[in-house]
Amino acid sequence: MLTFETMGFLSFFAACAIPIIIHLIFRRRYQRIRWAAMQFLLAAYRTTKTTLLLENLILLLLRILVIALLVIVFARPIMQVISPQQDTKPKDNYILVLDNSYSMGLRGPSTSALENAKVQGRSIINKAQENDRISLLTMNERPEIIADGSITSEKQRESLLRDWNNIKVTDFGCDLKRSLELLQDVVQKSEYSQKRIAILTDLQKITWEKALQSPPILEILRTIRKQAAEFNIVDMGHPNPQNIGITSLSLDGVAIIGTPSRFVVTIQNYGTNTYPQIPVLFSIDGQKQKTEYITLGAHQEVDVSFFPTLIHPGNHYATVELAPDPLAADNLRHLSFQALEQVKILVVDGDPRPGPFESESDYFMAALGDSGQSFFKITKVLATELGPKILLQEYDVVVLANVANLEYLLLNQANRKPMLQNFLERGSGLWIWLGDKITADYYNEELYDFKEILPGRLEKTLGNSSMDREVTVYVLDEIANHPIWRYFLENPELMEDLKKCFVYKFFVVQSGQEPGQTPEASTEQTKKTTTVLARYRPSNLPAIIERKFGKGKVLLSTTTLDREWSNFHTDQYGHVFVVMLHEFLQYLVAQPYLENNLLVGQTFTKYFDFYIEEKSLRATTPQNEIASVLWKTLDKGYQIAYSNTQQSGVYRILMTIPAQVIQEKPELMRFLNLPEKTEPGQILDAGYPVQEYLVVNVVAEEGNVVCLSQQELSQKFSELDMQIHKDLVLQVKAAPKKNIEYWQYILATLLVLSMLESFLAMWFGKYTK
Amino acid sequence: MQDDAKYLDPKVLNKISNLELKARLIVEGYISGLHKSPYQGFSVEFAQHREYVPGDDIRHIDWKVYGRSDRYYIKQYEEETNLIAYFLLDSSASMQYASQGMSKYEYGSHIVASLAYLILQQQDAASLCLFDQEVREFLPASANPAYLSDFARVLQNTSPNQKTNMAQVFYNIVERLKKRGLIIIVSDLFDEIGSVLAGFRHFRNRKHDVIVFHLLDRDEIEMPLQRLTLFDGLEDEIKILANPRALREAYLKELRTFLQELKSNCIANRIDYAQITTDQTLDVALSAYLANRAGKARI
């Protein structure tokens, strides 16, 4: 390592400007002569101009170099090298773990936490002795060993320093467990006797508090501690961190073109400052829509709604952006969503009657409006009218109202394919209302036992119909905290009214999920797919159950759609019925689109039951770089995958669907958002290009920059015999170093250069008369 | 003689404002040294005999001598000329240059005045033309000795300040000259070499005898300047800031090339060329040239 004995002399480098100054001064001091023989002078000047310039430049540079070397000689340069006579036995293993989750990008008054941490780490690498081992690890959701090597030479030390300096803040959150497991692995494999560990982190409260209460993580920490000579946590967090972040961006319901859609943005202030008039910019497909201004108090969370009206159907992405603050990563959030032209609903009435509001679906039709202005386009058929003319793929939702016979829906007589299953797998919704026409055994056999469409097994009915003399009412209760109830949960008065609605009679349904249980705790067979959305009081039996099927959803209402078994339609609670129908139908239609909305590091996979061209598949990253997408054939279709999502932002997946595929599957017209009247011949011969937006967001929690307090720290870590520091204080014995002085060589060079300058000056004729 | 000679020093002559007086001093000082007219030819007054060489005109063979000696001799006579001498003095701005004492224009004026004095003394006619890029002054030929005062007046009243264009101006002059004569050009010849030579050829094509006094300053020949200098062109707007020491070699090379080309072309065109520097004493400069010319005439 190069250093100087008398550093102060280096300031005399300014003297290097002297030759330039002299040159400039002399250029201003000249005599003026009126000259007659200009033609010869001009010719001479033209022929010698370049040579003279070059000569002058060489002389000027030489003179500057001479002065610079003179300054260096006086500063006495010394090269510090490790003495080759040192002990070569393995020594200490310094293991530096650097948290580079995005919260470490939080900027303080001048630098970020990560930059501060890197400064501290550099000092350890610089001080380490020869043959010490340095292991550099990162801490985030995908922890890595950045470098692991012994310092056998200065070159190796420089290489380690370079690797350390190259660590950058990622868009990942912090996965403490995975990071500590990697650290444990490194510690266990290290053969060095003295393992000195330092974790440089901002000690985010949300991460570390949870970790220190988790027995497996504590066990890992204890194991590491036992094997390490030193185990330090270096607190790189800022004393009073301030950050505002977007924690969520969601579409409320479904986006229909020509109708305002509601997007809800949640913004959280993690700090103690109050921020007035923060601009929140909302855009669709990169086009600015609106800016709202909000005021955020300390630790306050605020929801902001935007109501854009979309014009084109298909896949879009919404973006919300906050004004810059100390932590940039969570100031931006995206949402990929699908905009529909309209919601097409097929209502199958299983109990038609001649009088008004006597048929099974009359109230349903009245509640949704049949004026043609609604975005719900409802087609009502009688159960007896089901036949080849009814194509399920033309609808988004099918509502079965007390339909006794499902034969046609279950199997397409024309091509013998399971229609209802295909319909659901593609992402459509099925809402089943029961009634007196339903035979439990038939439904169980056709929809539950093998096909697993029905959310639960139908058993007996309970209660009496409204026409009976003695009625017992069952009130809707135990409303699940589920997105389907979002509007009710946000409106307490409406929820109160909901809980006053009751039914007279319903089917007892065995859903596999016991009262009070979460879906995770229900039976193995159904736990992943079934959710009880509401129960009846006093029986505690399921009132509404949801089951996921493929990409689609099935809702089962255990009572009737008409007033035969329920009182949803009375004047008193009619508004609840209307809201519930709208909310439930939108929920059924709304594609969760989870596959297109990922967190940093997650893999995008998508299944297609039709052929897409492999060669046309590609992705563009947020930086507009082209990337390849994996493609593979499955038994029943094709799957694409893209996993390089380590940066947040909007990715585009581009693919082409061959013309032949579209001609064979006209239902794809809707998938491609082609006009319905498009004839197959109008499809491009080269196929139809499709673009999907894949958005990748940061983990919102990581934006919570509140750190553990000193008291909490010392209390928690004292149990583990770990040290908390603000500065990195690993014990490093500085290696004795040998100083090699260079001033003699530089002086010799200086003399040679001076002579060269004199010689050249004479050679160039500057001193000749 | 000694007293006269001291006035032939350019520095001394520069102090004498009367050009006519100065011309007389120069020429009389010169004559007192030579005691002989330099102009010899085939005129009426016998001067000497010389042996015949092939190429001589046989009309000039002295048959009487041949009858007595069986040898061919040529009779030579003192020239009784009706010579017209046309003095062409460059009055362009470059003639202003003077590293010390007398400028090239002043020096040239002395040459013109002195030779005009000589010519007029011999009852020959003299004419004067001052030129730069055009004819500035023109005195027609006259053999009256009092004409010298007109010469002196014109020379003194002109100040050089224009550019030179010799080819064009010499063409214009030659068109004005009605009779063949002796053209005496006094100039620094700072123009394109092609233009200069083209001008000379105009005179030679009309069978004029041409003498060129090439006037240069010592500094122009040697470029002895040392300090960083801003060279400001006398005849144009060009300015060059340069170290003269660095340019010297290339400058002298350019000048030498110019002079060599000039001399060789003068010889080829049978033009008498004399290079004179302004630090030379005028009588020495003139006598050296005239003696040289006299020598040629004898051959």
Side-chain angles (χ1 to χ4, degrees):
Chain A
M1 188 178 167
L2 185 69
T3 183
F4 294 91
E5 186 86 346
T6 48
M7 290 286 254
F9 268 101
L10 293 181
S11 59
F12 285 95
F13 265 123
C16 290
I18 289 173
I20 299 169
I21 293 166
I22 290 173
H23 174 75
L24 292 174
I25 289 171
F26 270 79
R27 275 191 75 83
R28 295 172 68 89
R29 295 173 59 185
Y30 55 81
Q31 61 178 350
R32 185 186 177 127
I33 285 180
R34 299 271 289 163
W35 189 253
M38 282 303 277
Q39 64 190 88
F40 312 115
L41 195 69
L42 199 60
Y45 182 71
R46 281 177 186 147
T47 54
T48 56
K49 190 177 169 184
T50 312
T51 314
L52 288 176
L53 187 70
L54 201 65
E55 288 173 0
N56 283 332
L57 200 64
I58 290 169
L59 284 176
L60 189 68
L61 289 176
L62 273 175
R63 286 161 190 168
I64 290 171
L65 193 61
V66 164
I67 294 176
L69 288 176
L70 196 64
V71 173
I72 291 171
V73 166
F74 278 104
R76 294 191 64 187
I78 291 166
M79 181 69 87
Q80 291 184 336
V81 292
I82 295 169
S83 173
Q85 285 77 33
Q86 290 301 302
D87 186 1
T88 54
K89 282 190 296 182
K91 291 188 172 178
D92 294 349
N93 186 4
Y94 296 98
I95 304 169
L96 302 179
V97 184
L98 178 57
D99 179 357
N100 66 341
S101 58
Y102 78 77
S103 63
M104 287 289 281
L106 183 78
R107 296 199 78 78
S110 57
T111 54
S112 69
L114 189 92
E115 284 160 2
N116 290 340
K118 277 160 65 168
V119 171
Q120 303 225 2
R122 276 198 290 272
S123 70
I124 297 294
I125 300 170
N126 277 325
K127 286 177 189 171
Q129 292 183 32
E130 193 180 25
N131 292 321
D132 281 347
R133 191 171 188 83
I134 303 273
S135 307
L136 307 177
L137 281 68
T138 55
M139 190 161 100
N140 54 50
E141 286 172 301
R142 284 193 192 171
E144 287 179 284
I145 300 170
I146 300 295
D148 192 7
S150 301
I151 299 181
T152 51
S153 64
E154 284 305 308
K155 201 174 171 185
Q156 176 68 13
R157 187 192 301 273
E158 282 167 18
S159 168
L160 287 164
L161 277 168
R162 202 163 40 245
D163 290 337
W164 179 256
N165 287 333
N166 285 341
I167 298 176
K168 291 186 171 60
V169 172
T170 62
D171 279 346
F172 286 116
C174 185
D175 187 334
L176 202 56
K177 186 165 180 284
R178 284 181 74 174
S179 303
L180 290 175
E181 281 171 350
L182 181 69
L183 174 61
Q184 185 183 20
D185 193 40
V186 170
V187 170
Q188 281 173 347
K189 286 178 182 168
S190 171
E191 293 172 354
Y192 285 62
S193 56
Q194 300 289 308
K195 300 174 189 85
R196 304 183 188 280
I197 302 165
I199 298 177
L200 298 103
T201 174
D202 53 2
L203 280 167
Q204 259 186 307
K205 189 170 186 173
I206 196 161
T207 309
W208 283 85
E209 207 165 49
K210 209 185 291 176
L212 294 173
Q213 288 165 359
S214 158
I217 293 179
L218 286 172
E219 189 52 41
I220 294 170
L221 282 170
R222 285 191 193 100
T223 310
I224 296 170
R225 181 68 196 96
K226 276 181 200 165
Q227 296 176 41
E230 276 186 84
F231 193 0
N232 295 309
I233 306 285
V234 188
D235 179 11
M236 304 310 308
H238 293 290
N240 183 22
Q242 302 294 330
N243 178 38
I244 299 171
I246 303 168
T247 54
S248 80
L249 166 61
S250 59
L251 171 63
D252 192 4
V254 61
I256 310 288
I257 61 165
T259 306
S261 308
R262 185 187 181 215
F263 290 83
V264 182
V265 184
T266 308
I267 298 163
Q268 168 86 50
N269 179 5
Y270 297 107
T272 50
N273 292 351
T274 297
Y275 295 93
Q277 294 295 301
I278 303 165
V280 184
L281 173 67
F282 180 80
S283 54
I284 298 277
D285 297 338
Q287 302 293 316
K288 183 185 168 186
Q289 301 288 319
K290 197 176 182 188
T291 303
E292 293 279 357
Y293 292 87
I294 57 162
T295 297
L296 270 176
H299 300 294
Q300 192 185 353
E301 186 181 80
V302 168
D303 280 354
V304 189
S305 295
F306 293 91
F307 300 91
T309 302
L310 292 145
I311 299 167
H312 301 293
N315 185 215
H316 299 272
Y317 72 94
T319 303
V320 183
E321 190 174 356
L322 286 179
D325 71 345
L327 185 60
D330 60 355
N331 291 342
L332 198 66
R333 208 159 185 90
H334 311 280
L335 177 75
S336 177
F337 64 94
Q338 197 79 12
L340 304 175
E341 276 188 279
Q342 55 189 183
V343 178
K344 293 184 178 177
I345 300 169
L346 175 69
V347 182
V348 185
D349 193 325
D351 188 12
R353 304 276 176 91
F357 292 99
E358 287 183 351
S359 294
E360 194 73 27
S361 60
D362 284 352
Y363 283 100
F364 180 88
M365 298 297 288
L368 294 178
D370 201 13
S371 64
Q373 292 176 344
S374 167
F375 55 78
F376 290 118
K377 187 183 177 187
I378 305 166
T379 305
K380 177 181 170 181
V381 294
L382 304 181
T384 51
E385 293 171 345
L386 284 175
K389 288 183 181 175
I390 307 296
L391 298 171
L392 287 192
Q393 61 264 26
E394 291 179 357
Y395 300 95
D396 298 303
V397 179
V398 171
V399 179
L400 301 178
N402 200 9
V403 178
N405 191 342
L406 304 170
E407 188 181 353
Y408 177 76
L409 294 176
L410 293 171
L411 199 64
N412 187 333
Q413 297 298 325
N415 55 20
R416 311 294 296 172
K417 285 186 179 171
M419 276 178 67
L420 202 55
Q421 281 150 296
N422 284 351
F423 173 72
L424 289 170
E425 272 174 355
R426 192 162 292 153
S428 306
L430 174 66
W431 195 354
I432 302 169
W433 290 84
L434 302 176
D436 54 4
K437 303 285 183 193
I438 307 295
T439 310
D441 289 345
Y442 174 74
Y443 261 58
N444 289 336
E445 189 180 335
E446 294 295 341
L447 294 179
Y448 185 76
D449 289 343
F450 300 108
K451 300 187 177 68
E452 297 177 354
I453 293 173
L454 204 62
R457 170 176 281 280
L458 302 188
E459 296 185 351
K460 58 178 182 177
T461 57
L462 201 64
N464 301 313
S465 81
S466 58
M467 303 301 169
D468 294 340
R469 285 183 183 175
E470 291 181 8
V471 290
T472 310
V473 294
Y474 299 91
V475 182
L476 279 178
D477 196 20
E478 203 178 314
I479 306 299
N481 187 8
H482 188 274
I484 203 167
W485 295 116
R486 176 177 177 134
Y487 193 74
F488 288 88
L489 292 166
E490 285 178 359
N491 294 277
E493 288 179 6
L494 194 64
M495 181 62 93
E496 284 300 310
D497 288 344
L498 175 70
K499 288 184 175 178
K500 288 173 188 165
C501 291
F502 57 84
V503 302
Y504 305 103
K505 189 176 179 181
F506 63 94
F507 264 94
V508 175
V509 179
Q510 191 57 254
S511 72
Q513 186 183 342
E514 293 304 314
Q517 280 185 332
T518 57
E520 286 76 17
S522 59
T523 60
E524 187 63 33
Q525 189 181 9
T526 56
K527 68 180 181 183
K528 288 179 184 171
T529 57
T530 306
T531 310
V532 176
L533 302 175
R535 290 177 185 274
Y536 295 118
R537 181 164 50 83
S539 66
N540 241 344
L541 290 166
I544 305 165
I545 315 169
E546 181 203 8
R547 180 167 201 166
K548 300 274 173 61
F549 190 96
K551 291 180 191 172
K553 307 183 199 89
V554 181
L555 283 181
L556 174 64
S557 297
T558 57
T559 187
T560 57
L561 183 56
D562 67 357
R563 60 182 176 182
E564 193 79 19
W565 290 8
S566 69
N567 84 330
F568 295 144
H569 328 87
T570 58
D571 290 344
Q572 195 176 354
Y573 304 117
H575 63 287
V576 174
F577 183 63
V578 171
V579 172
M580 191 168 76
L581 288 189
H582 278 83
E583 291 295 305
F584 278 36
L585 285 170
Q586 287 199 39
Y587 174 77
L588 281 172
V589 175
Q591 289 278 355
Y593 239 56
L594 294 175
E595 62 218 358
N596 286 45
N597 286 282
L598 305 178
L599 293 174
V600 172
Q602 290 182 334
T603 299
F604 166 76
T605 54
K606 193 150 189 168
Y607 168 79
F608 297 94
D609 62 353
F610 50 86
Y611 176 73
I612 51 169
E613 282 181 0
E614 185 186 6
K615 64 178 181 185
S616 67
L617 256 181
R618 64 186 189 280
T620 60
T621 65
Q623 289 77 34
N624 277 328
E625 291 163 354
I626 305 290
S628 57
V629 178
L630 290 176
W631 176 93
K632 71 173 180 181
T633 315
L634 301 177
D635 289 343
K636 290 181 181 177
Y638 304 90
Q639 190 183 48
I640 63 171
Y642 180 74
S643 58
N644 194 10
T645 57
Q646 292 174 16
Q647 286 182 317
S648 61
V650 179
Y651 295 70
R652 289 173 173 80
I653 306 293
L654 306 163
M655 62 191 111
T656 301
I657 300 173
Q660 194 184 347
V661 172
I662 300 170
Q663 283 164 1
E664 286 172 3
K665 283 180 173 272
E667 65 269 25
L668 284 176
M669 298 285 200
R670 291 202 74 197
F671 174 78
L672 299 172
N673 291 306
L674 290 176
E676 286 183 14
K677 289 179 182 172
T678 306
E679 296 297 327
Q682 290 177 263
I683 305 295
L684 302 170
D685 289 342
Y688 197 86
V690 178
Q691 173 177 271
E692 287 216 14
Y693 292 111
L694 161 66
V695 305
V696 176
N697 288 306
V698 295
V699 179
E701 275 185 354
E702 186 67 25
N704 187 349
V705 289
V706 176
C707 303
L708 285 175
S709 68
Q710 279 295 327
Q711 277 184 335
E712 290 169 316
L713 288 171
S714 46
Q715 191 183 352
K716 305 242 180 234
F717 289 105
S718 61
E719 298 164 19
L720 294 164
D721 189 24
M722 287 159 64
Q723 302 297 312
I724 311 292
H725 303 287
K726 281 304 270 186
D727 294 307
L728 187 51
V729 287
L730 287 181
Q731 289 181 11
V732 181
K733 290 174 191 167
K737 290 179 177 176
K738 184 184 170 186
N739 292 342
I740 301 174
E741 293 214 40
Y742 286 98
W743 67 269
Q744 301 97 325
Y745 306 110
I746 296 170
L747 189 62
T749 310
L750 176 68
L751 291 172
V752 170
L753 284 179
S754 302
M755 288 166 67
L756 180 65
E757 190 275 336
S758 305
F759 173 75
L760 286 179
M762 290 179 68
W763 178 270
F764 296 154
K766 304 300 173 196
Y767 299 140
T768 55
K769 289 190 177 178
Chain B
M1 167 68 197
Q2 288 301 314
D3 289 343
D4 291 342
K6 74 178 181 185
Y7 293 111
L8 298 176
D9 188 295
K11 290 175 190 168
V12 177
L13 284 169
N14 198 32
K15 294 173 185 169
I16 305 169
S17 59
N18 188 333
L19 189 62
E20 190 182 349
L21 173 64
K22 283 193 279 186
R24 193 175 298 129
L25 279 171
I26 295 162
V27 175
E28 284 176 358
Y30 157 68
I31 288 171
S32 64
L34 279 184
H35 299 287
K36 195 175 178 184
S37 169
Y39 291 93
Q40 290 177 329
F42 303 96
S43 190
V44 288
E45 285 184 38
F46 173 76
Q48 62 182 7
H49 281 97
R50 69 167 173 82
E51 281 192 68
Y52 171 80
V53 290
D56 281 345
D57 192 338
I58 55 169
R59 288 180 300 169
H60 296 127
I61 293 174
D62 191 336
W63 297 108
K64 287 180 184 173
V65 176
Y66 172 71
R68 289 175 190 163
S69 62
D70 266 348
R71 288 183 180 176
Y72 295 110
Y73 281 92
I74 297 292
K75 283 177 83 173
Q76 286 189 306
Y77 300 88
E78 285 286 351
E79 197 174 35
E80 186 187 272
T81 62
N82 50 359
L83 175 79
I84 303 175
Y86 299 101
F87 290 96
L88 272 54
L89 176 60
D90 184 353
S91 63
S92 65
S94 64
M95 293 290 282
Q96 280 181 32
Y97 184 74
S99 60
Q100 50 188 338
M102 199 180 282
S103 73
K104 287 186 281 184
Y105 177 77
E106 288 164 335
Y107 197 98
S109 298
H110 287 104
I111 290 175
V112 168
S114 305
L115 291 179
Y117 177 75
L118 265 178
I119 300 291
L120 292 171
Q121 284 294 311
Q122 293 176 168
Q123 278 82 47
D124 290 326
S127 169
L128 176 63
C129 175
L130 300 186
F131 68 91
D132 39 54
Q133 55 191 346
E134 57 189 57
V135 175
R136 290 287 161 206
E137 294 287 347
F138 186 80
L139 293 181
S142 170
N144 185 350
Y147 203 37
L148 186 63
S149 60
D150 291 343
F151 267 57
R153 179 179 47 76
V154 169
L155 291 170
Q156 283 177 327
N157 292 342
T158 302
S159 61
N161 53 18
Q162 294 292 320
K163 290 179 76 172
T164 321
N165 184 355
M166 291 194 172
Q168 184 60 44
V169 78
F170 284 179
Y171 178 78
N172 293 339
I173 291 168
V174 83
E175 291 301 317
R176 289 191 184 198
L177 306 183
K178 304 295 182 195
K179 293 175 71 178
R180 274 173 51 194
L182 176 65
I183 307 286
I184 300 166
I185 299 168
V186 183
S187 169
D188 57 9
L189 303 176
F190 285 166
D191 198 353
E192 292 297 320
I193 184 74
S195 175
V196 174
L197 295 173
F200 290 172
R201 277 195 292 274
H202 289 315
F203 295 121
R204 290 298 298 145
N205 291 341
R206 297 291 178 91
K207 308 294 183 190
H208 290 290
D209 199 3
V210 181
I211 301 170
V212 175
F213 287 102
H214 190 187
L215 271 184
L216 291 170
D217 192 282
R218 179 63 59 191
D219 282 5
E220 288 172 342
I221 293 175
E222 295 180 352
M223 176 70 84
L225 302 170
Q226 296 292 318
R227 287 177 53 202
L228 186 69
T229 305
L230 178 69
F231 294 95
D232 192 354
L234 277 164
E235 288 197 17
D236 38 39
E237 299 297 316
I238 298 170
K239 289 183 174 58
I240 298 172
L241 180 64
N243 188 339
R245 290 176 295 175
L247 286 180
R248 186 170 181 274
E249 194 177 325
Y251 170 84
L252 294 180
K253 188 180 170 190
E254 291 289 331
L255 183 64
R256 272 197 300 273
T257 307
F258 177 81
L259 294 177
Q260 277 169 8
E261 197 170 347
L262 190 65
K263 279 178 189 170
S264 60
N265 275 282
C266 285
I267 291 166
N269 288 297
R270 301 180 68 187
I271 294 168
D272 279 352
Y273 172 86
Q275 183 186 313
I276 297 172
T277 53
T278 54
D279 59 344
Q280 286 178 280
T281 53
L282 276 165
D283 62 336
V284 173
L286 280 177
S287 62
Y289 168 71
L290 293 174
N292 189 18
R293 186 170 171 83
K296 280 182 187 172
R298 275 186 211 104
I299 295 168

